């Protein structure tokens, strides 16, 4: 098992550019989510999905789109990048999103994004 | 948005010392989690707590779920150099998203 994989590892964008951060998991997990991590802020939830075809907004969804066409993949799209979106982005997955008492969220290695 | 209050923000200790950090919230959570993050990596789960009052250990780590369900603490005994990193608490309700604390950065002097 590769676990949760994210690409790219680093990215620099200019203001207004668009891009897609990729996330994939090979554990057949139902629940996937995207977080951003900023200094002194911990991790904040952007969007999440409880299964293929189902997505919902988290705490800080503005400026980001997601889709979940397969169980394995959960891409995050920035439609028009802004400097405020400079951050480290983490994708996570879990079997049931916390319904089971033994559930665990597994995090990917992160994508470090800089918007100039 | 809602965040947990985690303290201290940073700690500088000598190898062998014990460490204690905690998280508090104005809201009740059904689950408390403690993660560790090392440079260039995602958070890794250390301990999960599912019942108010629960005390759980994982090696030298001990964590407790507060009786009010609004707080949790993590203790690390006899710290070693590989304990260095950022520790995050997270609260969860049912099948909902995690809410993270701001993190505690642990530095250890050998």
């Amino acid at each position: 098992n590769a676990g949760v994989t994210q690409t790219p590892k680093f990215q620099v964008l200019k203001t207004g550019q668009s891009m897609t951060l990729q996330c994939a998991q090979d554990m057949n997990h139902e629940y996937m989510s995207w977080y951003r991590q900023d200094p002194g802020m911990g991790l904040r939830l952007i969007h999440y999905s409880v299964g293929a075809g189902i997505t919902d907004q988290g705490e800080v969804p503005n400026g980001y789109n997601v889709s979940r066409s397969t169980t394995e993949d959960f891409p995050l799209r920035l439609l028009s990048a802004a400097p405020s979106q400079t951050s480290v982005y983490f994708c996570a997955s879990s079997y049931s999103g916390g319904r089971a008492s033994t559930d665990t969220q597994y995090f990917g290695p992160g994508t470090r994004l800089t918007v100039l | 948005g809602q965040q947990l209050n985690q303290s201290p923000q940073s700690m500088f200790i000598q190898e062998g010392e014990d460490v204690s950090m905690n998280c508090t919230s104005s809201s009740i959570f059904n689950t408390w989690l403690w993660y560790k993050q090392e440079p260039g990596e995602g958070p890794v789960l250390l301990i999960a707590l599912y019942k108010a009052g629960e005390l759980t250990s994982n090696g030298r780590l001990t964590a407790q779920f507060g009786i009010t369900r609004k707080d949790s603490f993590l203790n690390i005994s006899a710290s070693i150099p590989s304990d260095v990193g950022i520790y995050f608490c997270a609260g969860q309700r049912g099948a909902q998203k995690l809410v993270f604390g701001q993190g505690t950065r642990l530095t250890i002097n050998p």
Side-chain angles (χ1 to χ4, degrees):
Chain A
N1 278 359
V4 180
T5 57
Q6 291 183 239
T7 57
K9 205 165 177 59
F10 301 95
Q11 182 70 51
V12 178
L13 294 177
K14 293 182 180 177
T15 297
Q17 286 185 316
S18 62
M19 80 158 294
T20 299
L21 308 186
Q22 301 292 344
C23 174
Q25 51 89 13
D26 61 359
M27 297 174 282
N28 202 30
H29 283 171
E30 299 173 13
Y31 186 90
M32 297 185 73
S33 52
W34 276 102
Y35 294 85
R36 59 178 289 173
Q37 184 176 31
D38 302 296
M41 297 290 290
L43 284 85
R44 293 180 294 169
L45 183 68
I46 304 172
H47 285 285
Y48 66 99
S49 168
V50 298
I54 305 170
T55 63
D56 206 347
Q57 296 181 349
E59 181 185 353
V60 287
N62 292 342
Y64 307 96
N65 276 0
V66 292
S67 59
R68 184 94 179 272
S69 56
T70 67
T71 300
E72 294 78 20
D73 301 297
F74 191 43
L76 178 73
R77 280 183 288 276
L78 281 70
L79 303 176
S80 179
S84 61
Q85 293 179 304
T86 294
S87 188
V88 182
Y89 291 85
F90 289 100
C91 179
S93 76
S94 62
Y95 181 67
S96 65
R99 292 195 297 275
S101 63
T102 54
D103 200 18
T104 299
Q105 282 208 24
Y106 295 90
F107 284 82
T111 294
R112 185 175 296 274
L113 175 68
T114 301
V115 183
L116 303 175
Chain B
Q2 180 182 4
Q3 285 237 301
L4 302 179
N5 295 315
Q6 185 172 347
S7 64
Q9 290 189 13
S10 60
M11 301 184 73
F12 298 85
I13 63 169
Q14 296 293 124
E15 183 178 351
E17 288 184 5
D18 296 343
V19 173
S20 184
M21 59 192 78
N22 68 81
C23 266
T24 60
S25 171
S26 57
S27 304
I28 289 173
F29 290 102
N30 294 331
T31 302
W32 281 92
L33 306 164
W34 284 92
Y35 287 84
K36 179 186 178 187
Q37 184 179 26
E38 299 189 12
E41 298 182 10
V44 174
L45 183 66
L46 299 173
I47 292 181
L49 302 157
Y50 302 104
K51 291 182 184 178
E54 180 181 357
L55 184 71
T56 297
S57 293
N58 179 8
R60 293 177 296 105
L61 277 63
T62 301
Q64 183 156 32
F65 191 143
I67 197 71
T68 65
R69 294 164 67 191
K70 294 182 179 180
D71 63 311
S72 177
F73 73 74
L74 174 71
N75 287 342
I76 305 173
S77 63
S79 59
I80 59 178
S82 62
D83 290 334
V84 165
I86 303 177
Y87 292 79
F88 290 98
C89 63
Q92 186 172 18
R93 300 186 191 88
Q96 302 306 313
K97 50 260 190 186
L98 296 178
V99 177
F100 281 84
Q102 303 96 324
T104 296
R105 183 180 296 273
L106 180 62
T107 303
I108 298 175
N109 297 319

